[in-house]
Amino acid sequence: IEMRKSRSILSLGRIDPVKHVEVIVEALQKLADQGVSFVAHFYGGPTAGDQSYYQRIQKSARELVERGLIRFFPAVPNARAAAVYNEHSLFINATPAGSFDKSVLEAAACEVPVLSCNPSFQGLLPEELLFAEGDSADLADKLAALLLRSEAELRELGKSLREAVIREQSLTLLVPRVLGALK
């Protein structure tokens, strides 16, 4: 995973209101205001009905885009997603409770430390990777703490997440649970 860019942050998925991308942009603005060094990439576009939300997100991020701290990219096909995860040192997902986002598990499976506000991931993600839902200040604080860590420390954190995903989410465990639930 030598292609991983230092101090790089990823958000991957549709850019629509349920994903709360504005919380991520607000947190990144706070980091930039504090002089924290990072680059953030947003992969994904709006669904047909969410053009106005997407435009609001791009407008709110304009200053950070102009400073070279944020870049927006089109959605990537699933076959290329692992490569995109592996280019980044951190992954953020602000999708709240009640909406399970598989990108959290995909990023963790790629050994990328994941920040999430979804309580469904308590137990899988350590406390340092869980931020309060809708709280950009809490997210900014957690990001700043992670960005102070060495790449080696982040790699170790990522490896432990991958092991947890394999342990907790593997199909060999999931299939019997699903079949049991269907009986």
Side-chain angles (χ1 to χ4, degrees), residues 51-131:
Q51 283 292 337
S52 64
Y53 177 77
Y54 185 70
Q55 289 163 349
R56 281 199 316 274
I57 291 297
Q58 289 195 306
K59 185 178 178 190
S60 70
R62 187 169 294 137
E63 181 212 334
L64 296 176
V65 169
E66 289 168 359
R67 291 173 58 189
L69 299 176
I70 289 182
R71 287 185 65 191
F72 288 91
F73 297 93
V76 292
N78 286 343
R80 207 177 107 55
V84 173
Y85 290 121
N86 280 311
E87 292 169 0
H88 296 85
S89 47
L90 296 171
F91 179 78
I92 305 175
N93 183 283
T95 306
S99 184
F100 190 83
D101 199 325
K102 71 179 179 2
S103 65
V104 170
L105 298 177
E106 291 170 349
C110 290
E111 299 184 4
V112 180
V114 177
L115 288 116
S116 173
C117 62
N118 192 326
S120 304
F121 295 112
Q122 283 176 337
L124 180 70
L125 299 179
E127 201 58 43
E128 67 186 316
L129 297 178
L130 292 165
F131 63 96

Side-chain angles (χ1 to χ4, degrees), residues 12 94 151 163 173:
L12 184 146
E151 290 299 313
E163 290 163 9
L173 292 173

Side-chain angles (χ1 to χ4, degrees), residues 167-183:
R167 193 172 52 247
E168 301 291 327
Q169 303 295 325
S170 77
L171 283 175
T172 54
L173 292 173
L174 187 62
V175 171
R177 286 185 201 159
V178 169
L179 292 174
L182 293 174
K183 286 183 181 166

